[in-house]
Amino acid sequence: MKQIHKVAVLGAGTMGARIAAQFANAGVPSYLFDIVPPDADAPARNKIAAAGLDAAKKSKPAAFMEASLARLITVGNFDDDLKRLADVDWIIEAVVENLDLKRALLRKVEAIRKPGTIITTNTSGLPVEKIAEGFSDDFRRSWFGTHFFNPPRYMRLLEMIPTPDTNPGAIDAVAHFCDIHLGKGIVLAKDTPNFIANRIGTFSVLNVMRLMQEMDLSIEDVDALTGQAVGWPRSATFRTIDLVGLDILGHVVSNMAPVGGGRLGRA
């Protein structure tokens, strides 16, 4: 079984930085890369990745078990540092939910990664197979979805989404590593829009909003009714949306819209 000693996370937003933090909690070093700011001089070329790491250090609930573990994360950028991907065992793509943007970045990764290096996407619900469509056979054999949930340190669920091309050995290696070292509960999902949890969650959130309008409820009313009162987390509905991000919710909802007049993918 493939061993995972070092990882790279591409995208230092809320999820990417906190995924890197959870690897650090397990004692696993990682690279955390993001874009170069426009017109940045040399000292500022890693500014966005560094800001993501800084946000993870300050996050509440705490992303790191100990603040000192942040030393295991090395920040960088997509222009200068992708060559370092040759040193890692697992690459996780966690950039914005835009199919074209993901594919453009992954084309650069494809030219650098060592054959056999596991590469996955943290997409919230884009079609995993389509992201890597047309890539090399080796890339597609090592490619699948690993959907972490926010905050990764505390949310036990990890959805793993294989494609028809995925090597089962790669799935087994990541599932074993994430179970033993990251404390994750692994659920295999089909490559349908939003997979399992977000598919259910999207319906739930939109239904709550429908009822909110029909019953003329306030945001505070909804969170009081859909939190611990019904056995759900304290974050309830709207505080959960704040935690996940309005942009992510928008992307997840749009994934459920029919494309070209067709029907939604089946679970």
Side-chain angles (χ1 to χ4, degrees), residues 155 223-237 239-240 243:
M155 297 295 284
D223 275 2
L225 292 168
T226 60
Q228 291 179 304
V230 293
W232 289 8
R234 282 186 303 176
S235 55
T237 297
R239 287 195 294 274
T240 297
L243 182 64

Side-chain angles (χ1 to χ4, degrees), residues 162-197:
T163 77
D165 298 315
T166 305
N167 177 359
I171 289 280
D172 291 344
V174 170
H176 177 79
F177 176 88
C178 291
D179 175 19
I180 300 300
H181 297 281
L182 301 186
K184 295 301 177 185
I186 310 299
V187 174
L188 289 177
K190 294 180 180 179
D191 193 8
T192 55
N194 295 339
F195 318 129
I196 299 173

